[in-house]
Amino acid sequence: MIPTSHYLVVSLLLFTTGVIGVLTRRNVIIVLMSIELILNAVNINLVAFSQHLASLDGQVFAIFVITDAAAEAAVGLGIIIAFFRNRQTLLADEMDLLRW
Amino acid sequence: MIQEAYFLLSKYIWQIVDGLVIVAIFPLLAGYVVLLERKVMADMQARLGPMRVGPHGLLQPLADAVKLMIKEDIIPESADRAIFWLAPVLSVFAGMLSFAAIPVGPGFLIADMNIGLLFIFAVSSMGIFGIVLGGWASNSHYSLMGALRSSAQLVSYEVAVGMAMVSGLLLAGTLSMKDIVEYQAHSGFWLVFVAPVGFVIYLIGSVAETNRAPFDLPEAESELVAGYMTEYSGFRWALYFLAEYSNMVVVGSVATTLFLGGWLRPFAGTHAMDFLDFAPPLVMLGVTGYCVYRIPKQTGWDQKFIMAIFAGICFVVTVPLAVVLAPGLAAWKAGVHGAFWFIAKVMGYVYVFLWARFTFPRYRFDQLMQVGWHYLIPLSIVNVMGVATAVVLHREAGWNPVVSIGVTLVVTMLAALWLVRAGERREQTALKSAA
Amino acid sequence: MTNEILFYFFAGLAVLGGVLVVTMRNAVHSAVFLITTLLATAGLYLTLNAEFLFVVQIILYVGGIMVLFVFVIMLVNLDVALHQVQFNRQTWVAGLLSFALLAELLAAVALARSYGEENWLFAAPHVPTVTAEGNTEQIGRLLFQNYVIPFEIASILLLVALVGAVVMGKKRI
């Protein structure tokens, strides 16, 4: 069996990668994808602890996280399309007007 | 390490052999579905279809395969090479992987997963990427349009198909493909008679999922040349083709397992109908006899020779179906018989696909989305609720199963009628506001 | 042994895919690598005996959310974006801070190793006792008995997201 700490380290690496993506990329779609990476890292943690504690609650939480990711992706991509239609750009640092 | 590898190998040797057999036979099967399609199409249009390669075109699939393999393989200059290469492979991968969970006969399956049905659903939902990425990587407008259409179509119909599967699952109470068939064997009736609405939704949804006519908008010749595979040629194109036909076989297998009783013969529980066990060898013997009868009518010795070979193959298939084997091999014989019925049912399902293709005109894209979102998805949700109510009424309230299913079926059909009426009314108002 | 090989394979694939998601110039390539990561994570769930979550991950993430992503990327197919600067001005600060975060969290794990009661996090975990009903049935029971209210709230969230996405997608806001 693999110790739970191994899963934690994998999840950590994925989480940091996601954070770097969110903080540094300019393309909004890639920023959204990095958020998915972060949520995914959280899920690995939840499932690993679910097995560690021999209880299925963690897996149920993971299902809720996936639901949340779906909702977030739907709304986020909707916003991106609306933004793109108005400004013809996908760059996060050009989203600097409060109104247009 | 080596010991462990040896242990694993000896444990899973039959699964590996089954997998190899499927990988070897599968392209051949898909090729012969193509031949079947061309023959059925020819028959419905009062033509003969392929007749040249082999007697009655029986070797046409092999000729097609050779032709496709030696064709020039063109990659457009502005294409995204890596993804252009990846996309058709993904398509075929999704089609073939589904076969891991499909029980062809009792004991004839690669893996009996306790999440079998969901596994197939998940793997086939990955097949979308083959289409979408291929369309994008080609860097052509037709391809991109085809890819966009197909992703929208597949995502919308996946909901209806999933709901239709749930209506079957609620009754069987398990996700394992093998246990679903065994439930149908115990309860004595196929699920199609219990959840007919679910079956019809699955039939329509699976036509849309495999991009077949009348829902073949992603590859509509008259609008988009060939849709997502416009820029593909040679072997890559063949891979897409293989994926499409293998997907047909996969949806056919799932429908057979879930709704049509899998490997069970008709009236599997009734001993009075045991004479049906003679049907598989007799049918194969009939085919053999017909092949022999056609031998003298072929032109040329080579055609006669090939016809004789086909007669021989049919006879070789007949023998294990007919011979009463030693008692130790009884289970094996049940497996072969199960495989016969399974393949017969799958082919019947595929025949319905072909029949629909040559009967109905193609939908418009907005009509296609309307069928999915306005009719199929609401109806499938009502159907799931109806089946769940029937199960509760039967198991908790102790109602007669026939009565409980009949009542919920009537309610579901009323909901369907209401949906159709509402759709008509919507069209009327749209027409009025347009005029 | 097999379990270890599978774990390291999937873990390596997931991390590699994650790094490539963040560094790729083309959004479609990023999406492909994100799919790789998600599939590898599904594999990790399998090594954790969470087969229902494995399937949910593939159906929902790969077959649903990622299709949406790829769809939107194609809809806003922007060739200009490929030739622009891909990283923010604050890249170096952000990167430094992220690595500091990584170092801190890794240190936390390492510290836990020295403190823990008999190193419980680092020993092999308990394996849930295999019961007659499978993983799927257990999760279903849990979801519809202990977690009914969160479940309902999640469905309301989805409904709100649906309405929000439709409103956002309209021609004029």
Side-chain angles (χ1 to χ4, degrees), chain B residues 10 13 41 50 88 127 136 138 144 168 216 220 227 272 283 325 328 343-344 358 383 394 401 418:
Chain B
S10 59
I13 185 73
M41 168 159 52
W136 178 81
S138 307
L144 192 67
D216 59 345
V283 167
L325 294 153
I343 291 172
F358 306 124
N383 179 44
H394 171 52
W418 184 80

Side-chain angles (χ1 to χ4, degrees), chain B residues 297-355:
Chain B
K297 308 205 170 183
Q298 300 304 316
T299 51
W301 65 271
D302 46 347
Q303 301 281 59
K304 282 178 184 154
F305 179 66
I306 294 167
M307 201 72 203
I309 289 180
F310 269 91
I313 292 174
C314 290
F315 188 70
V316 167
V317 176
T318 312
V319 170
L321 284 167
V323 179
V324 181
L325 294 153
L329 290 173
W332 193 74
K333 195 185 171 193
V336 179
H337 271 257
F340 176 86
W341 288 112
F342 187 85
I343 291 172
K345 285 172 191 172
V346 172
M347 284 299 146
Y349 195 82
V350 169
Y351 181 81
V352 174
F353 272 37
L354 307 183
W355 192 7

Side-chain angles (χ1 to χ4, degrees), chain C:
Chain C
M1 190 64 212
T2 347
N3 228 348
E4 272 87 356
I5 294 174
L6 282 177
F7 170 77
Y8 287 114
F9 174 70
F10 285 131
L13 204 61
V15 173
L16 187 72
V19 171
L20 287 170
V21 170
V22 176
T23 49
M24 279 285 143
R25 180 167 277 269
N26 192 330
V28 173
H29 292 178
S30 279
V32 170
F33 286 114
L34 185 53
I35 293 166
T36 317
T37 303
L38 294 174
L39 287 177
T41 315
L44 285 181
Y45 295 161
L46 267 192
T47 62
L48 286 165
N49 300 323
E51 64 255 22
F52 181 65
L53 217 55
F54 159 79
V55 166
V56 166
Q57 170 101 355
I58 294 181
I59 293 179
L60 264 173
Y61 252 126
V62 179
I65 298 176
M66 286 319 294
V67 172
L68 205 62
F69 266 103
V70 174
F71 191 84
V72 169
I73 294 170
M74 287 177 187
L75 219 54
V76 297
N77 200 358
L78 198 60
D79 290 335
V80 196
L82 293 182
H83 308 298
Q84 286 164 330
V85 182
Q86 295 292 316
F87 291 96
N88 274 327
R89 274 176 317 223
Q90 75 266 23
T91 297
W92 291 112
V93 186
L96 219 63
L97 283 177
S98 309
F99 280 113
L101 175 72
L102 177 67
E104 189 179 341
L105 292 172
L106 280 177
V109 174
L111 272 181
R113 183 191 272 277
S114 61
Y115 279 121
E117 38 189 78
E118 296 162 355
N119 286 341
W120 56 280
L121 210 53
F122 300 89
H126 314 282
V127 184
T129 45
V130 180
T131 46
E133 50 178 21
N135 181 264
T136 314
E137 287 88 340
Q138 286 174 338
I139 288 185
R141 210 170 287 283
L142 214 54
L143 204 56
F144 290 108
Q145 281 177 354
N146 300 11
Y147 290 95
V148 184
I149 292 173
F151 184 81
E152 297 297 331
I153 293 172
S155 42
I156 290 173
L157 172 76
L158 279 180
L159 183 66
V160 171
L162 194 69
V163 175
V166 170
V167 170
M168 282 295 163
K170 282 175 86 156
K171 281 264 153 51
R172 288 200 52 79
I173 303 171

